Amino acid sequence: MTGTPTWFGPPDRRLFGWLHLPDDRGVRGIAVVCPPLGHEEANALPALQCLCDRLADGGVGALRFSYGGTGDSAGSWGQTGRLADWLSSVDEAVLLARRAHGGAVVLIGLRMGALLAAEAVARGAKVEGLVQWDPCLSGRDFLRVERTLSATGYGARQAGDGSVAGPAFTFAEDAVAELSTLDLIPPGPTATHATVVLARAGSRVVSRQGAFADSPAEWAEIGGQPELLDVPPDMLTLPDATIETICRWTDRAVDGPHTPVTFRPVDSAEVARTGDGRSIVEQPVWLGPHRLFGMITDPAGPGRPEPNTVVFLSAGALDHTGPGRMWVELARQLAVEGIRSIRADVDGIGESFGRPGQPRQVPKAPEAIDDVVELAQSFDHRDGRNVILVGLSSGAYHAIEAGLRLRLSGICAVNPGLTSWVPEVDRGDIDPRRLAYRPMPPALQALAVRHSRVATGAWRALLQLWVKRSATDGVVGVSRRGTPVLLIASQADAEQFEPSLYWSFVRRGQHRRGLLDVEIVPGSDHSLYTVDSQGRAYPILVRWLLSHCAETSDG
């Protein structure tokens, strides 16, 4: 059980969510789950999926959703009035739960989602229960952490204009001012809803417990939050004990008879309009033999040409929206130009649950190579020749692997990591499906542990002669099959493509033929988490896609 996708909310501001129900659709109430903001949302997704499934198994429906301007929901992250829009999103989700069932509704908010849920209740949202799961101490405290993570993790500097740049997301000046008004506060003495605060053990939030002493709220300390939220997404651990605690508490709060849910999912929605009034419509789809989840962005209008479909691939252990929601914004920008696109999750990532037993949150799983090839083939009987693959990090790696098997309309690969870790290395072997993977030999890897510069220098010297072991071989190999390639690499990632004399000559030849463009951007931001990196790479990507799609259409 992974939920059913649906759109909801007002026609001019559609929200996207997932409704989790038992097989018989009978529930005693519905829990509305409010996600965190910013980069924490990506880490939280597997835990929220698990929570909603367990609630549904216990006879409680669950609705998880994306606030306006986040995830797949309509709107833009950078527009003004963010707080009002996010609170309105909570109200719309509660309203949907009421209409769908009519029974008890419980709000469950994680991190900043806990503060947004509490603020929505304080402003009039009617619920029977409120779960504040590892809440932030305040909006100011959340933004302080975002600034710190951006500086220490990525060496990013703040703009000094009142905005806050965190990992992958920038909060504009007005959003900073609005979020700074939110605090963790106890429910009022006349509150009609039950409340529980589940505070991270040892956090600053625990110091606020005294303020709740005279309130009807329950309070408990929980563990496992750092292992969920404070690690890279591919290293997270689900907090099973906390999820079970939330399920038990919610089960008590919605105690009542089972009645059927009457709401029927809405398959598609208008998410934007073009300047001439055309609708941009999005629809969730299931792709390929393993039913990969995808979101299609379709520029509606009669008689429009469809020379290509642009496919955005999930990056690392992140879902199809891309770092900082980049793929969503780009998909809708392309739709304005009449270009159809799909953003897709490979199996085990995001919303794709295809193969039984497929490990979750594993970047570069060998099965993902099959997924991307089958995905490209599913659009057209010509072996994907009307498909442009766009990928970042592992998504870029998978795009290049697919390009060595198919002749595509194009590949945009951003920091593909053709020499970095793959999961089966830990077992001592390399899956034979990997055609583009070019790691440093084991002997030099062992040497690099103590003498990194010596090993790197020796490897670079060796690649002047052992040219087929260069990462450049895979990229040029794709272009030699007739597929145009755009390679964007940070200065740090570009080191793996440092050409020998041989590859310098070949790359120039492929570039003259219009089959290979290599763009190096300053810095070492592999995942495009900083504003500077996004600002440099994103325009290059847009120009190449628009130019290439126009050329294909004319030709």
Side-chain angles (χ1 to χ4, degrees), residues 4 70 176 219 418 497 545:
T4 301
T70 75
V176 169
W219 190 283
L418 301 181
F497 301 104
L545 285 170

Side-chain angles (χ1 to χ4, degrees), residues 52 67 123 152 288 364 381 458 470 519:
C52 291
Y67 311 109
R123 296 189 183 196
T152 59
K364 291 188 182 177
H381 68 278
S470 169
E519 298 282 353

Side-chain angles (χ1 to χ4, degrees), residues 41-201:
E41 183 179 8
N43 275 54
L45 177 60
L48 300 185
Q49 290 168 330
C50 179
L51 170 65
C52 291
D53 278 349
R54 291 192 191 178
L55 286 169
D57 287 341
V60 178
L63 171 66
R64 54 186 173 89
F65 68 99
S66 296
Y67 311 109
T70 75
D72 290 305
S73 291
S76 173
W77 175 269
Q79 69 191 48
T80 59
R82 291 287 74 215
L83 180 58
D85 192 20
W86 294 336
L87 292 173
S88 177
S89 300
V90 178
D91 291 339
E92 291 292 343
V94 171
L95 181 60
L96 171 60
R98 291 285 186 203
R99 290 174 174 171
H101 182 252
V105 175
V106 171
L107 269 176
I108 302 173
L110 175 58
R111 299 293 290 152
M112 278 302 295
L115 297 191
L116 291 173
E119 182 68 14
V121 171
R123 296 189 183 196
K126 302 298 183 184
V127 297
E128 280 66 45
L130 172 63
V131 179
Q132 295 187 275
W133 176 6
D134 189 16
C136 297
L137 182 66
S138 65
R140 288 189 183 89
D141 195 61
F142 166 74
L143 293 168
R144 177 188 60 79
V145 172
E146 291 292 288
R147 281 192 294 266
T148 301
L149 289 174
S150 185
T152 59
Y154 304 94
R157 293 178 295 180
Q158 299 298 316
D161 58 1
S163 65
V164 170
F169 292 87
T170 297
F171 297 84
E173 181 181 7
D174 65 317
V176 169
E178 292 167 347
L179 290 177
S180 296
T181 65
L182 299 181
D183 285 289
L184 178 65
I185 57 174
T190 61
T192 59
H193 62 278
T195 299
V196 61
V197 180
L198 303 176
R200 183 185 303 205

